[in-house]
Amino acid sequence: MAQPMPILRAHLRPRLLDLFSCAGGAAVGYHRAGFDVDGCDIAHRPNYPFPYHHGDALTYLAHLIATDEIHRYAFVHASPPCQGKCTLTVGTNQSRGWGGAHVDLVAPTRELLDATGLPYVIEQPNGQAEIRKDLTLCGEMFELGVIRHRNFELGGWPAAQPPHVPHRGRVRGYRHGRFYDGPYVAAYGNGGGKPTVPELQSAMGITWTDVREELTEAIPPAYTEFIGHAYLAAITTLGAAA
């Protein structure tokens, strides 16, 4: 079970471990909120903007726990692979033979995160039923050019769900052979009226990578900046009450 949240001295930047880090969309948001960030990803990520470990995230986390090095960190974020059960693969794509073949890493990730005794976040897209949806965030909440709903399970700490903001229109692109315009771009796939790389960068607030696959996998930094501020506010409240 997660232990009570640590009370951090105001002059220190807490250090955060970013697991399954991809190119750093989540990491940049946390950094903007006041964290120092270290990443870990099994793929080579030369565009990741902070120090990172190149290797399997769960093996690395187990090593940090076994060696007690995990206590370098105050907080952990994890975005385990989701392609097997996200909305896209559960729906139309699965009928084409996609989805369902990916290993579900949510449960083993949660088990190791609980073993750290640290507060944490597990992120997944819509369609992933194995996490608690303590927070659901959407690009319109942050005036972004994507909708990109994402769910977050909060381990060992609370945060209030912000109200969902009604969408202003459609996601731009082709649907069943017909083109629809709208205020949002589709941050997934290629073709079918999908945005250019510069449009994706602008819509998501990501400037440090121009690799389409990294952009389409990323969490907009605005999401984790919000979460990071919420966590630091929770610590402050806890410290004031102590």
Side-chain angles (χ1 to χ4, degrees), residues 102-157:
H102 297 271
V103 176
D104 183 358
L105 297 180
V106 171
T109 297
R110 182 188 295 110
E111 183 177 358
L112 281 174
L113 290 173
D114 283 337
T116 68
L118 297 175
Y120 63 79
V121 166
I122 302 174
E123 174 269 334
Q124 291 286 277
N126 279 344
Q128 176 58 277
E130 282 76 13
I131 71 165
R132 241 184 10 256
K133 297 177 182 178
D134 296 317
L135 286 177
T136 297
L137 300 180
C138 166
E140 184 59 30
M141 295 176 177
F142 307 100
E143 300 182 342
L144 299 178
V146 290
I147 293 177
R148 209 159 185 78
H149 293 115
R150 287 295 182 268
N151 302 307
F152 301 87
E153 178 175 319
L154 311 182
W157 67 285

Side-chain angles (χ1 to χ4, degrees), residues 2-230:
Q3 300 300 311
M5 289 183 293
I7 298 173
L8 303 172
R9 285 175 286 182
H11 67 283
L12 296 178
R13 284 177 67 95
R15 184 164 290 277
L16 180 143
L17 177 61
D18 177 24
L19 298 172
F20 311 97
S21 57
C22 192
V28 168
Y30 285 119
H31 187 264
R32 290 173 181 167
F35 292 84
D36 289 329
V37 182
D38 296 332
C40 178
D41 200 277
I42 199 166
H44 181 47
R45 300 293 185 185
N47 293 319
Y48 192 77
F50 306 111
Y52 89 107
H53 174 81
H54 180 198
D56 179 80
L58 296 188
T59 300
Y60 185 56
L61 181 56
H63 166 77
L64 292 176
I65 294 169
T67 60
D68 214 33
E69 294 177 69
I70 191 63
H71 292 112
R72 296 201 306 258
Y73 299 99
F75 190 85
V76 186
H77 174 99
S79 294
C82 60
Q83 295 95 331
K85 291 189 177 180
C86 73
T87 300
L88 288 175
T89 51
V90 165
T92 7
N93 289 351
Q94 198 165 55
S95 68
R96 303 178 186 178
W98 305 344
H102 297 271
V103 176
D104 183 358
L105 297 180
V106 171
T109 297
R110 182 188 295 110
E111 183 177 358
L112 281 174
L113 290 173
D114 283 337
T116 68
L118 297 175
Y120 63 79
V121 166
I122 302 174
E123 174 269 334
Q124 291 286 277
N126 279 344
Q128 176 58 277
E130 282 76 13
I131 71 165
R132 241 184 10 256
K133 297 177 182 178
D134 296 317
L135 286 177
T136 297
L137 300 180
C138 166
E140 184 59 30
M141 295 176 177
F142 307 100
E143 300 182 342
L144 299 178
V146 290
I147 293 177
R148 209 159 185 78
H149 293 115
R150 287 295 182 268
N151 302 307
F152 301 87
E153 178 175 319
L154 311 182
W157 67 285
Q161 169 67 48
H164 189 266
V165 180
H167 302 160
R168 290 171 287 126
R170 300 186 68 116
V171 175
R172 191 185 81 202
Y174 283 93
R175 301 289 185 279
H176 307 293
R178 179 181 174 185
F179 181 80
Y180 295 90
D181 202 358
Y184 311 105
V185 300
Y188 55 86
N190 207 346
K194 297 297 191 300
T196 64
V197 164
E199 286 176 322
L200 269 176
Q201 291 174 312
S202 175
M204 296 185 68
I206 293 176
T207 59
W208 61 92
T209 179
D210 58 1
V211 178
R212 177 178 287 275
E213 290 76 13
E214 292 183 341
L215 289 164
T216 58
E217 291 177 6
I219 304 170
Y223 293 14
T224 47
E225 183 174 2
F226 172 86
I227 292 171
H229 283 305

